Structure formats: structure tokens, C-alpha cells
Amino acid sequence: MTNTTELKKSALTDRQKDILQKFAALGSLVVLAFIFSLTSSAFFSVNNVMTIALQVTSIALLGIGATCVIITGGIDLSVGSVLALAGVIAAVAVKDYGAPVPLGMLLGILTGTACGWVNGVCITKLKLPPFIATLGMMLIARGVALQITGARAVSGLGDAFGELGNGSIMKIMTVGDDGFPNVSFPGIPYPVVLMVVIAFAVAFMLNRTILGRYIYAVGSNAEAASLSGVNVARVTTFTYILSGTLAGLTGCVLMSRLVTAQPNEGVGYELDAIASAVIGGVSLIGGVGTISGTAIGAFVIGILRNGLNMNGISAFAQQIIIGLVILITVWIDQLRNRQ
Amino acid sequence: MAMAIPFWEGNRMAGSIPEKVAQDRAGAMTDTGAILLRLEGITKAFPGVVALSDVHFDLRRGEVHAVCGENGAGKSTLMKIISGVYQASAGRIIYKGAECNFTSPLQSERAGIAIIHQELNLVPHLSIAENIYLAREPRHGFLVNRKKLHADARSCLDRLGIDLDPATIVRGLSVAQCQMVEIAKALSLDAEVLIMDEPTSSLTDQETVLLFKVIRDLKKAGVGIIYISHRLDELAQIVDRVTVLRDGKYVATGDLAATTTDEIVARMVGRSLEEKFPERTSKPTDEIILAVKGLTRAGVFSDVSFELRRGEILGFAGLMGAGRTEVARAIFGADPYDAGEITLEGKPLTVRSPRDAINAGVAYLSEDRKSQGLAIRMSVAANMTLTNMRALSNRLGMIDFARQTKATNHFIKLLSIRTPSENQTVKLLSGGNQQKIIIGKWLFRESRLLFFDEPTRGIDVGAKFAIYQIMDELASRGIGVILISSELPEILGMTDRVAVFHQGRITGVLETRNTNQEEIMRYASGYVRTRSEGQK
């Protein structure tokens, strides 16, 4: 009898802790937004919110992939390089081979998929540690991107190439008396729409499908999952393919925004992606994590950067602050788990 | 031929030097036969369990003293107390005439008590010499005196008659050679007491012969050796006296020459059936569910053949490492096998992975719940349904949560699992409830053959009874049940027949009704096999 009541008590506190942590991350996000809107009048405007959302897309898209990989207990260091390679492939296909833009972009995305598949095979079949396998891919993908372009940016891609990164939906525009267009609502940029759709889709996959259940099971106890009939290799490989594909998509979006393919784009993005996942409560040991948490983590980083910029704080100081935020959030997470 | 003679005589014959001469020689150097180490009334209590209670033991100079007992009898705990890993809750340790209280292995080592663990403790990337003198290298100021290091190591190895270069890196050595290095290390510490825990468990026959020769030489030099082994058949070759422990209590000590293996076994298992078992309702039929023929995995198990009939519970008995779990894992597809045929319900079963086995209706409840059975950070429902997610989802792989809740609650009720809800994290439940969740997940899969590997380890009596009832219920429903257990009362109480394993082979399949613990123990220690071979 006492045993049961004890169980109930601890279950309740466990759930409370979980809610608390979610609110803690979300709460710090709200506090950040509040502080920045006080210190800078331009911060809390429709335009700036859209700018932040746009800036967050790349971290968030990569973070979604990173979340799935980290839940299985792995890590993907290659996404920053893979996105550069994907963007370069898309641009070269369009410019040098005259492919239509959608086909070029598809090729870019599939390049990411292929890189993710190679990562997965190296980890599950060659039994390389994820850190090493994706470190290798990080160097290789970057090298190929630089090799293809001769380390030069690919420009002159045409307006159509810029559509994905710069277009938006629900843009409200009236033509004023002076003949100039008057933008009353900037619209929601396509990348933001993509981010939201993909976040919901992956969250659905993780929470509501067999595959998602298997991903958590592999990360929680790969041996037990395997002995329960889960194809651990296939599930693991899937997460790397997802991560690579999202990196490919991110690459296309980024290059499209600039209407230029930069082989040096995305250096260090893998660490932003991992940071957003970690701030959002994803455990590097595996088995634990949510897309909503990672989305919050991505926005924490995005808002910090944007707000600090608007307050004229140097890029160097920004790095220091973001570094501290990562240390503090993970430390709080550790404290929570130790109890 | 030596084996056909009662083994105390075999002991005398096995010695390379006539015993009289050896004793004279040893007597000249040291005081052979004097008490070197004496333990009085040793008791060790851990929170919630008394591992040792009032144990006596003494060790003379120049003798090999075996400590025998079943798994969990307290042998390891006793050795850990002698070597200072644990401190006794009560009792005295008298070493070389003075009472000692070692608080760390380092202290006992300094005093001359060395222990060679079953898992060897060498640094693989260092050389033999560096391992022998680890942390006490001869020095020139800040530098290691390599010349002296190698010369000293050389002389240690020479004393043992081992022909190895002290500069050899340990990683490339065989298990037997590593053991020799450990012994050399013990000698270099001027050890007077040497504890050997299952030293022959991974040695070949020839290596064992060499080890025994070294042990005899150490005896002659006046070293007292405490020898722990499950292989009762080999005691005769080197052991002088035997002490038997059972359930943490001292049972008896005697000269090996004055006793028999039968007597030792009887004393090792001599407890009455303490646990209660439910009445068996299932009756074995003639229909064969599982037939295994000549199953072999090189170096692990060989030529394993047995049959499981419908309605029957078959037991796998044997000592740890005898190959019971390995055979089960091979049939389940978790480990490969080299040869053999498996037939499940008349159809040949070929499995490459647990997935294949599960699809064929085979289930394996692992002996280690936490590391192999459960995703402990996930919910009861997630764990219970992991084996059969397809049954809960539509064609697109979307989980029907209503069905998941219904199915999970069905098994929670059926197996009386005590949990606040199906969403509870498994980590927070007791061992018995965790085990029931694992059973639930295989019932949900509608398995037709279940291996229960040590299903009641670490589980309280009430939950044990419930698990026994479930096993009986499964058997009476026509599901094949194989019980792997180190608890002989459990084997005797629950099975219809027992396959006894010894060193990767089945040494006998016994009708449970007509056997007893002593007989099973004899088969498990390989004594029966050796004796029958000796009679040929």
C-alpha cells in the first residue's frame, strides 16, 4: 500500500518536473523577448519577428534532424558541410547544366539524403562511432563543395532560384497614390512555412508512429530494442538520412536567399543545431527529447542573436553569452535528472 | 586411468615429486603446515541482506585450500574480506599470528596477500615487466631503470619456469600467459597467501597442466593458496583441504583425501526447498514443439541436442558460463551458431536476427532485465507493446493509442502488475513488476516458445510465485516454456525435465521427478562425464 502511494507521488513529481522544464525554457524565451523589446523599440515589430523567424529556420531545420539523431544516442557533425554541398549541387545543376530550378533544388536535397545514408551505413554497418563517421563526412562534403566550385561562389543564378528563400505567402500589399507598393504585412516567408510544416510532421512522426516509438526505444536501450525485434540498424540509418535530407533542404533555402551558392556557407551550423537540441532538453545519452523543445531552443538562440545585435552588442560578446546559456541550461537539466 | 582410482590417491600420483621429498624440502625453508591465515566468526551484512554469517576458515603454509559453494554462497564476499575490498561486520582475521584489519586491497597486498581475479587485471598496452612492477618500478631518480626492471621481471618469470620475454606487450598474450604474469606479479610482491578465483575457467587442458605445475611449486615454497573453482573434477589434482559454504554460512572443512565429490556436492546444495511453487497443472504430451540437433558454436557450446514437448516445462541447469544462455540466444537469433538444426513445430527454423525469431514465434526473456529487457526510461505501455507495434497501428504506421491503452491494461490486469498507470516510467517499478512487463510484451506478441532466463533473480517471493504460475499457465495453453535457472530448487519445483549443461555441452537430460539436487550438481560439475569416461 505504502509502495503504491510512493509510486504515485514520484510519478506526479516526475511529470511536474517535465512541465517545469518545458515552461522554464519557454519562460526564458518570453523573458528574453520582454527584455529585448524594452531595450530596443524595433525589436517587437512584425517585421523583426519575421526576420527572427527567417533567421531561425536554418538552425531549426538542422535542429530537427539533430534531435532525431541524438534521441537514438548518436550525433551528426556533418550537416554544416552537407548543406553547403547541397546548395552548390543545386546551383551548379541550374547554372551549368540548365536544369529547371525545382529539379536543381531536388538534386540538392537528394545530395543531403545521400550523405545521410552514407553516414548511417558507416555507423551501422562499418560500426564507426557516430562522432567519427560524421566528422569524416563533414570534411568530405566540404571538400567536394570546394572542389566543384574551385572555392568560388556560384552566382548569376536568376530570380527563380531566389524564390524559395525570398518569397512569402499572405503578403498584403496595396499600391499607394504615389504608385509605389505599400506593404502592410510582409507575409510569411516560405522558409518559415517549411520550418513549421516540417516541425509538425517530424513531431507527429516521433509521437504518433511506430517509427518514432522505435527511435526512442533505440536510444533508450538499443540492446533491448534489438531483442524486441526492432531493426536497430535501419531505424538508426533513417535518422541520419532525415538529418542529411534536412541539411540538404537547409542548404537550398540558404543559397536561394542569397541567390548565390557559397561553398563556405554553414561552417559551424552543426554546433548551433546540436546546441538548440540540447537547450531544448534533448539528452546526449539518447532516449529523451522533443521537437517542441528543440524549436524553443532554436528560438532562444535566434532571439538572443537578434536582440543582442539590435542592442549593439558585438559578435564576440554574443558568442560568450550563447556559450553561457548552453552551459547553464544543460547544468539545470543535469540537476533535474540527478534528483 | 588415474580417474578410476579414488581421487585422493590420484592426487598423490599426480605430483611430479614424491610428497615426502617435497615436504622435507619445503620444511627446510618454511614452517610448512603452520597456520598462516585464520578467519574467525566472519559476518558481513549488506543493507537488507546478510552475505556471510559466522564463517570460519584457516589456511596453512604450503597448502592448497579450496573454497566450494554454489553461486551466491558467499565465496567472493569472503575473498573480498580477506583482500580488504570489504570490511567484515563482525569477526577476526588473524594473519601470521597478528590480528589485521585491512581497509583496502593495497594494504593486504603490502602484507603479502595477493588475489588473482577471474577477470584478469593487466594493462594491455604495457609490457609484461611493466605490468609486474606497475606503480613500483625500479628508478633512477625520475626515470624508470629499464635494465633492472627487465632483469627483475626475468627472474620472476624464471622462478615460475615461464619462457616469455619480459618486454612482450601483454595484449598479445593468451589468457593462460596473462595468468602466469599475474602469478609472477604476486610472487614479486613476496605474496605468502595467493587467492585464485576460477583460474582454470578459460584455460585449455594443457594450460591447466602448466598452471597446476606452478601451483605445486608455489606450495613447495610455502605459499598458502586459496583456490576457488566450480570444477570439482579438477580439485583432486592439487587441493589438500576443502571448505564448503552454503547461503553465506560455514558448512564444513575437511581433508580432500577423506571425502568424496558426492559428499562435497551434497554439502554444497544441502538446503531444503524454501520457496513455494504452485501446483503444476500442465501435462506433457508427446507432441514435440522444439527439436534442436547438434547445435554448435565454436568455443562456446558444442553438439547441443534436446527436445521440448507440448505442455512441458524444460529446465536448463548448469553453472554460470556453462552455455545455457548462449544456446538460448543462438536459437533466438541474437548470436550466431556454426552448425546444427533447429525445428520449431515441425518446420525448420533459420534465424539471422531476433526479428526473424520473433516472427517465427520465439521469445527470449533475458537474464539481465535492465540492460537487455527494458527501455527503462520509457513507459509501461511503450515497453509492453514494443514487440508488436504492427498490431496497434494502421498501414501508415500510425499508432492507435486507444488500442495501445486497452491492450496494455489487459496485460496489467492479467499479470497483476502494480503500476499507477500504463504511462508510468518503467524505471520506477519494482523488479518483479518489471519482469512481468517483459512477460507481458511477449504475451502480446503471441509467442509460441518462451525462454525464461533467470526469471526470478532479484525478485521477492510473492512475485516469484506469480511468475511460476504464469509459466505453468503458458505451458498448459500449449506454449513451449524453457526455464534457464541457477536456482536448483526452482528447477526441481517447476520443470518436467532438466537438461544439464557443463562447459558448453549437455551432460544429461534428467526426469525432474526422478532426480535431486545432488545428481544435477554432479552433472553440472562434469563429474559424471569424467567418471564415465574414466570407466571406459
Side-chain angles (χ1 to χ4, degrees):
Chain A
M1 190 61 220
T2 45
N3 198 10
T4 341
T5 49
E6 259 175 35
L7 284 180
K8 270 185 186 150
K9 211 175 101 197
S10 60
L12 212 68
T13 52
D14 212 45
R15 193 173 304 161
Q16 279 170 347
K17 271 190 265 173
D18 200 53
I19 291 166
L20 205 77
Q21 204 241 345
K22 274 266 169 63
F23 273 104
L26 200 63
S28 64
L29 196 64
V30 172
V31 170
L32 272 181
F34 184 72
I35 293 171
F36 285 138
S37 50
L38 286 184
T39 55
S40 162
S41 57
F43 179 82
F44 206 71
S45 64
V46 174
N47 265 318
N48 194 45
V49 169
M50 282 307 150
T51 307
I52 292 172
L54 195 59
Q55 285 170 345
V56 164
T57 48
S58 51
I59 301 178
L61 284 175
L62 298 176
I64 289 165
T67 303
C68 296
V69 167
I70 297 173
I71 289 174
T72 66
I75 195 98
D76 189 348
L77 297 177
S78 68
V79 289
S81 300
V82 169
L83 76 82
L85 177 61
V88 163
I89 295 279
V92 167
V94 170
K95 195 179 177 198
D96 297 351
Y97 295 90
V101 171
L103 179 64
M105 298 246 169
L106 184 66
L107 282 174
I109 294 168
L110 288 178
T111 304
T113 308
C115 292
W117 179 77
V118 172
N119 280 335
V121 168
C122 287
I123 291 159
T124 58
K125 297 283 182 276
L126 307 185
K127 310 281 180 207
L128 296 180
F131 191 98
I132 301 300
T134 59
L135 181 69
M137 179 55 75
M138 173 177 158
L139 295 169
I140 292 167
R142 179 72 62 193
V144 173
L146 289 166
Q147 188 72 39
I148 290 175
T149 57
R152 282 182 296 271
V154 182
S155 53
L157 293 166
D159 288 346
F161 198 86
E163 185 62 23
L164 175 68
N166 298 301
S168 59
I169 57 166
M170 296 198 305
K171 192 170 185 173
I172 300 169
M173 208 163 57
T174 49
V175 179
D177 299 335
D178 50 4
F180 284 106
N182 190 1
V183 180
S184 52
F185 181 67
I188 303 169
Y190 287 143
V192 176
V193 176
L194 261 179
M195 169 181 75
V196 172
V197 169
I198 287 172
F200 274 99
V202 175
F204 181 84
M205 184 272 288
L206 281 178
N207 293 321
R208 300 267 148 178
T209 69
I210 298 183
L211 181 60
R213 181 66 61 79
Y214 285 175
I215 289 174
Y216 281 105
V218 167
S220 189
N221 189 342
E223 177 83 14
S226 168
L227 290 178
S228 298
V230 176
N231 190 333
V232 174
R234 201 190 293 171
V235 170
T236 307
T237 305
F238 169 80
T239 62
Y240 287 93
I241 289 177
L242 179 68
S243 178
T245 307
L246 289 177
L249 178 65
T250 310
C252 291
V253 169
L254 272 176
M255 308 298 177
S256 166
R257 253 169 75 194
L258 305 168
V259 207
T260 307
Q262 285 276 7
N264 274 318
E265 185 67 46
V267 173
Y269 276 34
E270 59 280 346
L271 300 181
D272 278 350
I274 295 166
S276 67
V278 165
I279 291 173
V282 182
S283 163
L284 284 175
I285 306 160
V288 176
T290 56
I291 294 299
S292 55
T294 300
I296 291 169
F299 271 92
V300 166
I301 294 179
I303 287 180
L304 263 177
R305 286 227 172 102
N306 178 280
L308 293 171
N309 263 334
M310 295 191 109
N311 284 287
I313 292 171
S314 79
F316 311 132
Q318 286 182 29
Q319 289 194 22
I320 298 171
I321 292 169
I322 293 173
L324 287 173
V325 166
I326 292 171
L327 294 183
I328 292 166
T329 44
V330 176
W331 177 59
I332 292 171
D333 203 39
Q334 295 280 345
L335 281 182
R336 194 176 62 97
N337 287 331
R338 223 177 288 158
Q339 280 155 6
Chain B
M1 134 89 203
M3 281 303 171
I5 309 167
F7 46 79
W8 52 91
E9 290 179 23
N11 185 22
R12 242 171 252 157
M13 294 177 68
S16 55
I17 304 166
E19 207 164 274
K20 181 85 175 49
V21 180
Q23 261 175 8
D24 289 349
R25 241 189 251 168
M29 290 190 296
T30 51
D31 186 9
T32 305
I35 298 289
L36 184 58
L37 175 73
R38 181 195 290 280
L39 306 185
E40 289 175 0
I42 296 291
T43 298
K44 177 65 187 173
F46 292 106
V49 59
V50 178
L52 288 174
S53 89
D54 198 20
V55 170
H56 304 274
F57 179 80
D58 64 69
L59 179 69
R60 298 179 190 143
R61 280 192 193 278
E63 80 162 342
V64 179
H65 192 152
V67 179
C68 294
E70 288 185 284
N71 299 334
K75 296 170 304 208
S76 307
T77 311
L78 188 66
M79 295 312 122
K80 283 180 177 162
I81 286 173
I82 295 174
S83 60
V85 177
Y86 295 151
Q87 280 73 54
S89 316
R92 303 201 303 156
I93 303 176
I94 297 143
Y95 174 57
K96 292 203 279 188
E99 185 166 345
C100 327
N101 187 14
F102 300 126
T103 53
S104 76
L106 201 66
Q107 275 185 14
S108 66
E109 198 177 276
R110 292 250 162 86
I113 297 175
I115 181 160
I116 297 173
H117 294 276
Q118 196 174 352
E119 311 86 35
L120 302 171
N121 286 318
L122 295 174
V123 184
H125 299 285
L126 297 183
S127 71
I128 292 177
E130 284 163 335
N131 265 289
I132 292 176
Y133 288 100
L134 193 62
R136 40 192 191 96
E137 299 85 354
R139 296 178 188 208
H140 271 318
F142 287 111
L143 302 172
V144 174
N145 183 347
R146 297 213 152 260
K147 223 182 211 169
K148 186 165 176 353
L149 177 73
H150 282 149
D152 289 357
R154 179 75 267 162
S155 73
C156 272
L157 294 172
D158 283 346
R159 270 173 72 192
L160 293 170
I162 302 161
D163 188 26
L164 279 174
D165 181 359
T168 314
I169 299 297
V170 161
R171 193 167 52 166
L173 300 182
S174 71
V175 178
Q177 287 170 328
C178 287
Q179 213 156 31
M180 292 303 160
V181 174
E182 291 252 25
I183 294 174
K185 186 174 178 177
L187 283 184
S188 76
L189 286 160
D190 292 321
E192 293 177 68
V193 174
L194 185 60
I195 302 169
M196 306 181 94
D197 190 358
E198 296 281 355
T200 58
S201 60
S202 41
L203 299 190
T204 65
D205 288 350
Q206 286 117 339
E207 289 167 340
T208 303
V209 169
L210 178 65
L211 177 73
F212 286 176
K213 185 187 161 294
V214 169
I215 289 177
R216 284 187 203 105
D217 289 344
L218 292 174
K219 269 174 72 168
K220 275 180 251 159
V223 176
I225 294 165
I226 304 175
Y227 189 89
I228 298 174
S229 177
H230 277 306
R231 298 193 182 171
L232 299 181
D233 48 337
E234 72 184 22
L235 297 187
Q237 297 177 46
I238 41 156
V239 167
D240 301 302
R241 286 195 301 158
V242 183
T243 289
V244 177
L245 299 181
R246 184 204 311 144
D247 298 337
K249 295 189 187 72
Y250 171 84
V251 177
T253 300
D255 285 347
L256 191 74
T259 185
T260 62
T261 304
D262 284 334
E263 199 181 335
I264 296 172
V265 169
R267 288 184 187 277
M268 277 165 61
V269 297
R271 75 186 144 206
S272 57
L273 295 185
E274 284 159 2
E275 285 105 336
K276 298 269 180 286
F277 299 96
E279 201 178 323
R280 289 291 311 283
T281 56
S282 69
K283 293 276 173 290
T285 60
D286 287 339
E287 190 192 345
I288 287 166
I289 302 180
L290 176 75
V292 173
K293 237 185 236 151
L295 200 66
T296 298
R297 182 181 176 199
V300 183
F301 51 81
S302 56
D303 199 21
V304 169
S305 304
F306 64 90
E307 285 173 348
L308 172 71
R309 290 170 293 177
R310 199 174 291 287
E312 151 182 87
I313 297 179
L314 177 68
F316 277 9
L319 299 164
M320 267 190 235
R324 299 166 300 168
T325 296
E326 289 75 7
V327 167
R329 283 179 59 95
I331 296 170
F332 185 61
D335 291 331
Y337 58 89
D338 302 323
E341 281 171 33
I342 307 168
T343 316
L344 180 68
E345 295 184 326
K347 279 174 252 157
L349 179 72
T350 46
V351 290
R352 287 224 198 89
S353 68
R355 276 170 67 77
D356 296 346
I358 291 165
N359 289 334
V362 182
Y364 169 70
L365 283 79
S366 58
E367 57 185 327
D368 189 335
R369 286 190 290 277
K370 291 230 167 88
S371 79
Q372 297 174 1
L374 291 165
I376 58 168
R377 276 173 291 169
M378 295 177 81
S379 69
V380 173
N383 271 284
M384 200 119 70
T385 55
L386 190 60
T387 48
N388 203 2
M389 293 299 295
R390 291 269 159 227
L392 291 179
S393 58
N394 64 14
R395 223 169 273 155
L396 297 173
M398 276 162 59
I399 300 167
D400 183 337
F401 282 84
R403 247 194 290 171
Q404 172 180 297
T405 305
K406 204 175 145 213
T408 311
N409 280 319
H410 170 71
F411 287 109
I412 287 176
K413 208 174 284 169
L414 185 78
L415 302 169
S416 347
I417 297 172
R418 272 172 40 185
T419 171
S421 85
E422 78 274 10
N423 296 320
Q424 175 76 338
T425 311
V426 167
K427 189 165 69 174
L428 301 171
L429 300 181
S430 73
N433 282 308
Q434 290 181 353
Q435 188 64 282
K436 287 180 184 175
I437 291 168
I438 300 178
I439 295 174
K441 82 182 196 185
W442 293 114
L443 295 185
F444 182 54
R445 179 70 211 202
E446 295 171 351
S447 306
R448 299 204 302 279
L449 168 65
L450 275 84
F451 286 95
F452 286 81
D453 197 348
E454 305 284 0
T456 60
R457 182 182 287 168
I459 287 177
D460 62 89
V461 181
K464 271 188 188 179
F465 192 81
I467 286 166
Y468 295 143
Q469 276 180 319
I470 293 165
M471 286 168 53
D472 178 61
E473 163 80 17
L474 292 175
S476 60
R477 272 166 49 191
I479 294 169
V481 177
I482 293 178
L483 169 64
I484 304 174
S485 177
S486 298
E487 304 277 327
L488 287 180
E490 185 169 283
I491 291 277
L492 290 173
M494 285 309 298
T495 63
D496 297 293
R497 287 185 307 142
V498 199
V500 190
F501 284 69
H502 172 69
Q503 290 183 33
R505 287 171 183 276
I506 292 184
T507 45
V509 178
L510 313 169
E511 290 284 334
T512 308
R513 211 177 320 132
N514 305 326
T515 188
N516 53 36
Q517 298 197 32
E518 286 79 1
E519 190 181 15
I520 294 175
M521 217 41 208
R522 274 202 306 273
Y523 279 92
S525 7
Y527 173 50
V528 169
R529 190 163 60 92
T530 344
R531 191 174 56 181
S532 64
E533 277 171 8
Q535 280 164 350
K536 267 176 209 165

